Amino acid sequence: QSELCSILDEVRRLSTISRKLLLLSQADAGRLRLHRELYDLSAELAGLVDDIPLLAPALTVRAHIEPGLIVQVDAGLFPQILHNLISNAIKYNLADGWLRVEAERRGSNVVVCIANASQGLSAFEQAHLFERFYRADPAHNRQVDGSGLGLCVSREIARAHGGDIKFTLVSAADVEVRLILPERGGAP
């Protein structure tokens, strides 16, 4: 039974990688189709923030989410960005670290900032963060789940929506990722 569970886990992991690669190939070919609808970003983020203590009870969580942030996105694709960014902030955090989630309107854009305590990243790691299959150390040792596709896929989904994702190393102990998205659909 243990072997069967292990095989099933591996099949799930490979299936996830296949779906991500398909999405990336569609984005590369300019054929990523979006089915936009109104989406309550504030409510989705609030729900994700509520789940963080269940996933990482040792982290201190702070959040400031402006109410009423409604965006036009593909509700099947867009949540992958939020889940990935928060998941990364948890996975690559310090043992008793912190996580901050902020979201607000800035002009005609909505900006979501997810920051976490960090051991820092080298200039090389920062330069390759959004590359396919790239995983910053110590992720290579497989103690941290992932395929190295999450940030790349997230950025492609954001760009397909007219937005982008930016990474900032605020200090050696503070990593910040910003999702910039047009509130109602156009270019940022």
Side-chain angles (χ1 to χ4, degrees):
Q1 180 136 4
S2 173
E3 289 178 28
L4 187 58
C5 288
S6 181
I7 291 170
L8 187 56
D9 286 343
E10 188 64 15
V11 167
R12 285 185 187 127
R13 189 179 78 78
L14 292 173
S15 176
T16 299
I17 291 171
S18 297
R19 283 194 309 272
K20 288 178 179 180
L21 288 172
L22 177 60
L23 189 143
L24 288 170
S25 69
Q26 289 171 334
D28 287 347
R31 294 193 324 226
L32 187 59
R33 292 192 178 103
L34 301 178
H35 304 286
R36 293 179 188 259
E37 58 188 83
L38 294 179
Y39 183 84
D40 190 338
L41 180 61
S42 297
E44 180 70 18
L45 276 174
L48 291 172
V49 167
D50 287 346
D51 289 344
I52 293 171
L54 301 171
L55 301 169
L59 296 181
T60 301
V61 180
R62 294 179 307 231
H64 173 72
I65 301 167
E66 185 178 320
L69 296 175
I70 307 295
V71 291
Q72 283 188 316
V73 296
D74 185 307
L77 290 175
F78 184 77
Q80 290 180 52
I81 299 173
L82 303 177
H83 289 267
N84 184 61
L85 296 181
I86 288 177
S87 174
N88 280 354
I90 291 170
K91 284 191 241 182
Y92 297 101
N93 212 308
L94 301 179
D96 289 316
W98 54 268
L99 195 147
R100 184 179 73 244
V101 178
E102 299 172 345
E104 64 184 4
R105 276 182 197 84
R106 289 196 190 156
S108 62
N109 292 327
V110 170
V111 177
V112 176
C113 174
I114 299 173
N116 63 278
S118 170
Q119 294 178 4
L121 293 169
S122 70
F124 178 84
E125 290 168 324
Q126 291 176 53
H128 296 280
L129 216 51
F130 291 96
E131 289 181 7
R132 294 171 191 187
F133 299 109
Y134 180 77
R135 299 180 72 200
D137 285 329
H140 294 294
N141 62 21
R142 296 269 296 158
Q143 288 178 359
V144 177
D145 276 344
S147 62
L149 290 171
L151 283 176
C152 181
V153 167
S154 294
R155 181 179 259 180
E156 289 298 330
I157 294 170
R159 287 179 172 172
H161 284 87
D164 205 354
I165 296 178
K166 310 260 184 207
F167 170 84
T168 305
L169 186 60
V170 178
S171 70
D174 187 343
V175 170
E176 187 175 275
V177 177
R178 289 185 184 271
L179 166 64
I180 303 145
L181 189 69
E183 189 170 13
R184 296 292 178 183

